[in-house]
């Protein structure tokens, strides 16, 4: 099974900061990587699919990059609404299955 | 627009079987290029993929849950179902149903989730 490891687990930042969250796969996964934002008591919200594609309606300050084993989610200028937990997710297209990273909690500094 | 709504008992006794239903509205569960899946989240913890299904019958399960899980689709009712047998306290979680776009490999529409408590 492919394991997804996110870092850091917790990130403290201020409004206006540029932040980057990393997701590493235990083996190469091409660009089969998605990013989600989750707020307390709510379902996850898709931000990025196939590593770098912005989901419709998601602000352009969110961006994703990477391929193979190393991926990043970048928020160019943090807004108050962005403080949440972020998850990466891998989709195995050859033997359909999914796995999530453990999450990164983005906190207000 | 497409909406998903989970429903279930809320409370299940240890060793019993959990049954959840996800009702799809505003669209068809028989759509091509989509999987319909279940994901769960224990209190205070991360997301765990349970499994997913194509409307025509192909199912895929998390290996760690495979022996206890059955996912099915009722196209006439536009519903997705989850059965999880022999539940324990470790199965207590919020259970989400979600739609996955196959070509994108991601879950773009989620239900609001339903909480499961396991207690005698």
């Amino acid at each position: 099974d492919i394991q997804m490891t996110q870092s850091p687990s917790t990130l403290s930042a201020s409004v206006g900061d540029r932040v980057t969250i990393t997701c590493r796969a235990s083996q190469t996964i091409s660009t089969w990587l998605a990013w989600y934002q989750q707020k307390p008591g709510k379902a996850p919200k898709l931000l990025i699919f196939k590593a770098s594609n912005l989901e419709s309606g998601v602000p352009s300050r969110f961006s994703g990059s990477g391929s193979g084993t190393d991926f990043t989610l970048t928020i160019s200028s943090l807004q108050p609404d962005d403080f949440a937990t972020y998850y990466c997710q891998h989709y195995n297209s050859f033997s359909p299955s999914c796995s999530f990273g453990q999450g990164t909690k983005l906190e207000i500094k | 627009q497409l909406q998903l709504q989970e429903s279930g008992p809320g409370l299940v006794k240890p060793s019993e079987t959990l049954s959840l239903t996800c009702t799809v509205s505003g669209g068809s569960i028989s759509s091509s290029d989509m999987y319909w899946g279940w994901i769960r989240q224990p209190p205070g913890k991360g997301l765990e993929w349970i499994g997913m299904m194509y409307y025509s019958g192909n199912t895929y399960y998390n290996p760690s849950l495979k022996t206890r899980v059955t996912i099915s689709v009722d196209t006439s009712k536009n519903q997705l179902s989850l059965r999880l047998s022999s539940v324990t306290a470790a199965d207590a979680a919020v259970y989400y149903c979600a739609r996955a776009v196959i070509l994108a490999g991601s879950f773009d529409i989620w239900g609001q989730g339903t909480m499961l408590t396991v207690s005698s």
Side-chain angles (χ1 to χ4, degrees):
Chain A
D1 292 353
I2 296 175
Q3 307 300 319
M4 309 303 295
T5 303
Q6 287 182 236
S7 61
S9 296
T10 306
L11 178 58
S12 297
S14 302
V15 172
D17 284 354
R18 178 184 179 91
V19 300
T20 298
I21 298 169
T22 298
C23 183
R24 176 165 289 175
S26 58
Q27 53 187 280
T28 185
I29 60 170
S30 184
T31 56
W32 290 108
L33 194 284
W35 290 97
Y36 300 84
Q37 176 193 67
Q38 187 181 33
K39 296 181 178 179
K42 299 295 186 181
K45 173 188 175 182
L46 178 64
L47 300 174
I48 302 286
F49 62 94
K50 289 216 76 181
S52 61
N53 294 273
L54 193 68
E55 175 71 353
S56 177
V58 174
S60 59
R61 62 181 180 273
F62 291 91
S63 64
S65 65
S67 66
T69 60
D70 294 317
F71 302 85
T72 58
L73 172 71
T74 299
I75 308 173
S76 61
S77 179
L78 269 177
Q79 299 301 301
D81 191 49
D82 300 338
F83 293 96
T85 300
Y86 292 84
Y87 293 93
C88 63
Q89 172 246 317
H90 162 56
Y91 168 68
N92 184 336
S93 61
F94 297 104
S95 176
S97 63
C98 301
S99 57
F100 288 90
Q102 81 277 19
T104 295
K105 186 175 182 180
L106 179 54
E107 299 180 329
I108 300 174
K109 182 183 286 185
Chain B
Q1 73 279 20
L2 191 81
Q3 293 185 322
L4 308 178
Q5 178 67 60
E6 306 89 346
S7 58
L11 175 66
V12 174
K13 292 181 171 61
S15 79
E16 291 188 342
T17 295
L18 166 69
S19 293
L20 296 177
T21 299
C22 173
T23 300
V24 179
S25 58
S28 174
I29 204 167
S30 301
S31 299
S32 60
D33 300 326
M34 304 295 177
Y35 287 132
W36 302 90
W38 290 95
I39 298 103
R40 70 181 182 178
Q41 184 172 38
K45 296 188 178 181
L47 301 167
E48 180 181 30
W49 175 73
I50 299 171
M52 59 195 181
M53 182 170 187
Y54 192 64
Y55 79 95
S56 61
N58 292 348
T59 53
Y60 309 97
Y61 298 126
N62 186 324
S64 69
L65 297 169
K66 186 174 184 177
T67 59
R68 299 195 292 131
V69 172
T70 302
I71 294 175
S72 59
V73 164
D74 186 332
T75 55
S76 67
K77 295 182 179 179
N78 229 26
Q79 289 180 336
L80 175 73
S81 295
L82 170 71
R83 286 176 58 85
L84 180 66
S85 64
S86 304
V87 300
T88 71
D91 295 311
V94 176
Y95 285 73
Y96 297 101
C97 62
R99 184 184 81 168
V101 179
I102 297 174
L103 293 180
S106 55
F107 295 94
D108 64 334
I109 299 175
W110 295 64
Q112 66 184 27
T114 185
M115 180 67 203
L116 172 71
T117 300
V118 179
S119 175
S120 56

